[in-house]
Amino acid sequence: MSPLLAAAIHIICANTIAFAHIAHAQTPTPTPTPAATPITGATSDDKEETKAKTPQVIDKVEIKGSQSDYDERREDTATKIVVTSEEIRKFGDTQILDVMKRLPGVTVQNNAIRLRGLGSGYTQILIDGERPPPGFSIDNLSPDLVERIEIIRAATAEYSTQAVAGTVNIVMRKKFSVSKRDVNAGWYSGTGYTSQRVGFSIADKVDQLAFSVGGYGGRGTFDYASIGSTIGLDPNGQRVMQRTSSVASFGDNRYAGLYSTLAWTLAGGDSFTMNPSLNFSQYNSQFHSRTDYLLGDSTIYPISDGRNRGSNWNVGNSANWILKGQSGAKLDLKISASVGARNSDSFSHSFDYDNTPTLARSTLGPTRDSRAAIVGKYATPIVEGHSLLAGWDIGFNRSNSSLRVIETNVAADPIDTLEDYVASVRKFALFAQDEWSVTPNWSVYLGLRWEGIDTTSDGTGVATTTNRSSVVSPLFQTLWKFPDKSGRQFRLALTRTYKAPETYNLVPRIYRTTVNTSTTPDYQTGNSSLKPELATGVDIAYEHFFAKGASMSLSGSVRALTEYNTRGTFLINDRWVNKPINNGNATSRSIEFDAKFPLQSIYGGAPPIDFRFNIARNFSRVEEVPGPNNRLDQQAPLSGTFGLDYRMRGGIVVAGASYSFKGGGDVRLAVNQINYSATTRELEMYVLYKYTPKLQFQLRLTNVLRRDLVTASTYFDDTGSTRSSSIRPTQMNIGANMKLEF
């Protein structure tokens, strides 16, 4: 038996025995005093139960939800924004991402949720505290089946500290007081695409079993076109190369899925929950490109045609058993597992201007994924004013893939290769946290999490690589409320977080380009030598809750990063290759302001309009890259959103609009590589009409300003520079949705 497994079994047994001892002790544990605080990470129902047993001192200025008087954003020591089910359904949204767009500090870009302006991978996305399986999109969740959304801006020990920017945890409903059934259908059309989507959700209760089932399915078509240019300069700045290009791609996609929750209420307040899910998708696409060589050397591949097709499926399930003991003690055990596959098949061929075939290439890339995890948490009130939570987290991810490439090239020898890869990530974590009410106005959160990560990759022609690392994450947060009971408060957080490579980031699969240059290199998906990116952070915030549903905050954060993960372009075996790398140290700083309030909280005679505004200024610097513009890739230097939402009395008509912008410009990724993206500005509007209490229609317009998408890449060295740019025109997107409850 491995030391890792032995340690895991020891911890599981020790926690289980400890719980059994408390649950069956002859002498009951003393009841916590009124100063005890709710356990961080507990559900709203648990907090209500704690409040029922423990008198609370309530400030005169408070925000009361319809289901609970407890406002987690205001009261929890750990920085957290909680969106209740009432708020989720308030504006009739049928997709979770539309709800996310209204939340302070959250940006949604290409259906990806981001915090603090940082790019993909820095924000941890969880469903019921666990990472969703590969291929699952949270936008397919029905908002009616979501209990709450938690935006955890500073890491806590309870969840994985793979949350450099923060964590978004979507908590599904486990209890349903009334039967609920609905179906929704939508049609969308925009910049080169159309799509149709249908979904349903059913929720009910039979004796001690509460269940919900949601499903979705849809299809879409797309037809995109872009134009580009490439200009080469010699060391003296003289133009020596110029090319123009046009690319058109079109195709279709289909997807479907089921997800459900089965929750049993057991004797003594215990519960058992299962969450099975199934997801499937497939796509087919074709493309045509043409390059005209206006100056400089040409190639024999100016015209290319091809097709791509693929599919993805995943089956997963989780089981959660909660055992409640005396005096608020609780043992929470969860086991989850999923398996899935991704298949890709592509073919392309190129021609000279006289239609002479010059190249034919086919690529097959099947992948199999599997993952499993077991998490245990033990929570109990301890001495006066303290709440303790401790546990373990064991996880395993494995990816098996192969890549078959067959190529016939009139200018080179034929290629016929078959490469197999295996990548695995094993994780073991121990954690403990304590929330302490020092005084009625001051509370402190202390947490410690240790995570050991073992990554292994092996493949054809690739040496077996094993990386072992561990991350110790001490966490400190504190909340101080102004004693004048004005709703003003101050927060401070010190955190240690990290970003570990996903399994696919360890597989060095290479997709070859037809014309290989420094600005159009081969694309390598992974790097077996990648190390976790570590971040030490400081967060401060001033918050003011001045009326029901009204708040504003000013916050700042600093992150010091080591082993920064990015992508670089290199000349390897006479071909340019873009691959992920560790690129030393970096720092990131952010200043953010957000405000939201009903206009009626300022002027009683105002119309029922909710106002929201947030703006963030981000600064970053990568030490190993010379300036200027040596900032983090994908981080927006400036971003903001201004929105208004109108809700007629009775909710018959709901309407709103939001304007958002995201700064762009040059980003120097490496000593000799610069990427550029244009500033984006987007105006979005929607109106919802409830024809009857159970039937509603929604119309949504996005990209109203119709700004073109402009990107560019520049590579330069002693021999000169090459700059490639691309422009893709856009149009206004329109969507219509119908929802029927029955």
Side-chain angles (χ1 to χ4, degrees):
M1 181 181 295
S2 69
L4 186 67
L5 181 58
I9 295 175
H10 174 76
I11 293 168
I12 295 172
C13 294
N15 279 274
T16 306
I17 292 172
F19 176 82
H21 173 73
I22 292 176
H24 296 90
Q26 297 297 320
T27 303
T29 304
T31 303
T33 66
T37 58
I39 299 170
T40 301
T43 64
S44 298
D45 294 334
D46 293 331
K47 290 178 177 177
E48 284 300 302
E49 182 178 342
T50 302
K51 289 177 64 183
K53 295 179 180 179
T54 307
Q56 299 284 320
V57 178
I58 305 297
D59 291 346
K60 292 182 179 180
V61 179
E62 57 180 324
I63 303 175
K64 294 184 179 181
S66 62
Q67 299 177 359
S68 172
D69 291 341
Y70 192 83
D71 183 351
E72 292 177 273
R73 180 182 185 184
R74 181 177 179 180
E75 304 296 339
D76 274 12
T77 308
T79 305
K80 181 188 298 185
I81 299 173
V82 177
V83 186
T84 65
S85 58
E86 180 185 14
E87 293 176 278
I88 292 172
R89 298 192 299 268
K90 182 176 181 181
F91 297 108
D93 294 317
T94 58
Q95 295 181 318
I96 287 294
L97 290 185
D98 292 332
V99 180
M100 294 287 183
K101 292 176 181 178
R102 294 190 181 89
L103 304 185
V106 178
T107 58
V108 178
Q109 183 178 351
N110 297 326
N111 288 344
I113 300 171
R114 297 180 176 181
L115 301 176
R116 302 188 188 280
L118 292 174
S120 176
Y122 288 100
T123 300
Q124 179 173 234
I125 307 297
L126 305 176
I127 297 178
D128 285 333
E130 300 295 327
R131 289 176 177 256
F136 181 77
S137 173
I138 65 170
D139 200 33
N140 291 320
L141 292 175
S142 169
D144 288 334
L145 300 182
V146 175
E147 177 66 27
R148 65 184 184 276
I149 300 173
E150 301 173 340
I151 309 297
I152 306 170
R153 297 177 63 80
T156 60
E158 178 184 6
Y159 301 122
S160 173
T161 49
Q162 294 190 63
V164 176
T167 297
V168 176
N169 184 32
I170 299 174
V171 181
M172 305 301 293
R173 296 183 67 182
K174 309 297 190 301
K175 298 179 180 179
F176 302 93
S177 57
V178 296
S179 299
K180 190 174 185 63
R181 293 169 175 81
D182 68 69
V183 61
N184 64 82
W187 172 86
Y188 312 91
S189 178
T191 305
Y193 78 92
T194 61
S195 66
Q196 303 83 42
R197 184 184 186 279
V198 63
F200 73 91
S201 64
I202 300 173
D204 210 335
K205 181 178 180 181
V206 179
D207 295 329
Q208 301 304 310
L209 170 64
F211 66 89
S212 66
V213 179
Y216 61 90
R219 67 178 302 273
T221 62
F222 59 90
D223 187 355
Y224 300 125
S226 63
I227 56 175
S229 66
T230 301
I231 296 176
L233 305 178
D234 66 13
N236 298 318
Q238 297 297 315
R239 183 173 298 186
V240 294
M241 185 261 287
Q242 183 175 358
R243 303 171 182 172
T244 61
S245 62
S246 61
V247 180
S249 60
F250 57 93
D252 61 82
N253 65 293
R254 293 175 174 82
Y255 57 91
L258 292 170
Y259 55 92
S260 60
T261 298
L262 307 172
W264 287 269
T265 300
L266 308 176
D270 300 344
S271 64
F272 180 76
T273 305
M274 295 180 63
N275 295 96
S277 63
L278 168 66
N279 306 282
F280 172 80
S281 64
Q282 68 176 26
Y283 65 89
N284 293 277
S285 67
Q286 299 181 55
F287 70 89
H288 173 79
S289 66
R290 178 187 174 94
T291 301
D292 292 305
Y293 300 90
L294 307 180
L295 178 66
D297 296 335
S298 62
T299 73
I300 58 174
Y301 319 106
I303 301 173
S304 294
D305 292 288
R307 53 115 177 117
N308 295 285
R309 61 189 179 196
S311 62
N312 175 84
W313 64 266
N314 181 273
V315 178
N317 194 10
S318 66
N320 187 199
W321 189 22
I322 298 178
L323 301 172
K324 293 187 177 181
Q326 296 181 358
S327 303
K330 182 176 72 172
L331 179 64
D332 187 335
L333 298 172
K334 177 178 286 188
I335 300 175
S336 60
S338 68
V339 294
R342 291 172 284 126
N343 298 286
S344 62
D345 176 6
S346 64
F347 174 78
S348 64
H349 51 170
S350 299
F351 306 87
D352 210 334
Y353 290 116
D354 59 3
N355 288 327
T356 301
T358 54
L359 181 144
R361 179 191 299 133
S362 66
T363 304
L364 293 173
T367 300
R368 299 293 182 269
D369 297 306
S370 59
R371 61 173 58 191
I374 176 170
V375 181
K377 304 174 186 178
Y378 176 67
T380 181
I382 47 177
V383 299
E384 179 179 343
H386 290 265
S387 296
L388 175 68
L389 184 145
W392 70 89
D393 186 347
I394 304 171
F396 174 78
N397 296 352
R398 183 182 179 90
S399 177
N400 295 268
S401 65
S402 65
L403 184 64
R404 176 75 182 273
V405 178
I406 301 175
E407 180 177 297
T408 301
N409 191 334
V410 298
D413 295 333
I415 296 174
D416 188 347
T417 61
L418 175 60
E419 299 174 323
D420 294 308
Y421 303 100
V422 177
S424 62
V425 178
R426 292 176 290 274
K427 180 184 73 173
F428 177 60
L430 297 172
F431 58 88
Q433 63 186 33
D434 176 35
E435 190 169 347
W436 177 26
S437 292
V438 184
T439 71
N441 297 323
W442 180 32
S443 59
V444 174
Y445 167 93
L446 294 172
L448 181 66
R449 186 180 180 101
W450 176 88
E451 292 195 19
I453 307 166
D454 187 340
T455 63
T456 302
S457 61
D458 189 13
T460 305
V462 179
T464 300
T465 303
T466 299
N467 291 325
R468 291 184 174 89
S469 59
S470 62
V471 180
V472 178
S473 300
L475 306 166
F476 170 82
Q477 300 190 49
T478 186
L479 169 64
W480 184 76
K481 299 181 178 181
F482 284 67
D484 57 7
K485 302 185 183 300
S486 61
R488 297 179 297 158
Q489 56 191 39
F490 177 81
R491 293 183 180 274
L492 170 67
L494 308 176
T495 59
R496 174 78 162 175
T497 54
Y498 75 102
K499 185 180 76 168
E502 298 287 352
T503 50
Y504 62 81
N505 290 137
L506 303 174
V507 177
R509 298 172 62 172
I510 296 180
Y511 294 90
R512 297 165 63 91
T513 56
T514 301
V515 180
N516 183 264
T517 69
S518 57
T519 54
T520 57
D522 295 342
Y523 187 85
Q524 181 172 313
T525 58
N527 181 350
S528 58
S529 301
L530 276 182
K531 299 177 182 178
E533 181 177 342
L534 306 179
T536 302
V538 179
D539 298 85
I540 59 173
Y542 167 78
E543 301 172 336
H544 187 194
F545 302 87
F546 54 90
K548 181 180 179 180
S551 64
M552 64 175 62
S553 70
L554 178 65
S555 61
S557 66
V558 177
R559 296 287 185 273
L561 309 174
T562 59
E563 300 294 350
Y564 166 57
N565 291 178
T566 186
R567 301 190 68 90
T569 300
F570 307 91
L571 186 62
I572 303 174
N573 297 328
D574 296 324
R575 289 189 68 87
W576 292 99
V577 178
N578 180 270
K579 67 177 185 178
I581 59 172
N582 292 107
N583 197 29
N585 303 326
T587 57
S588 174
R589 302 181 302 277
S590 298
I591 300 175
E592 185 175 339
F593 174 79
D594 75 76
K596 67 170 187 176
F597 54 86
L599 291 181
Q600 292 177 342
S601 66
I602 299 177
Y603 174 62
I609 293 177
D610 285 2
F611 169 90
R612 49 190 166 87
F613 172 74
N614 71 77
I615 187 170
R617 181 70 171 94
N618 304 305
F619 311 84
S620 58
R621 180 173 65 90
V622 179
E623 294 182 4
E624 274 64 27
V625 178
N629 303 315
N630 54 338
R631 49 191 173 90
L632 298 178
D633 186 21
Q634 301 185 52
Q635 185 184 48
L638 181 67
S639 63
T641 300
F642 172 84
L644 298 172
D645 296 289
Y646 167 80
R647 189 171 186 269
M648 180 185 292
R649 185 181 299 275
I652 297 176
V653 175
V654 180
S658 63
Y659 170 79
S660 61
F661 62 91
K662 182 173 74 70
D666 287 333
V667 180
R668 192 166 185 176
L669 302 180
V671 174
N672 49 11
Q673 185 178 359
I674 296 175
N675 280 1
Y676 169 84
S677 61
T679 297
T680 60
R681 297 178 176 86
E682 183 170 338
L683 177 62
E684 178 177 336
M685 299 180 289
Y686 75 95
V687 60
L688 179 143
Y689 172 61
K690 287 192 175 182
Y691 183 72
T692 70
K694 295 184 178 295
L695 177 62
Q696 67 180 39
F697 301 91
Q698 185 187 66
L699 178 67
R700 183 179 294 271
L701 302 177
T702 61
N703 195 38
V704 176
L705 302 180
R706 297 180 294 177
R707 294 181 62 87
D708 294 343
L709 299 178
V710 180
T711 59
S713 178
T714 303
Y715 185 90
F716 54 93
D717 55 26
D718 294 338
T719 64
S721 64
T722 303
R723 178 180 175 86
S724 294
S725 60
S726 175
I727 301 175
R728 195 174 89 181
T730 68
Q731 64 188 60
M732 185 172 65
N733 306 333
I734 183 171
N737 190 278
M738 179 275 293
K739 179 180 177 182
L740 173 64
E741 297 181 13
F742 56 94

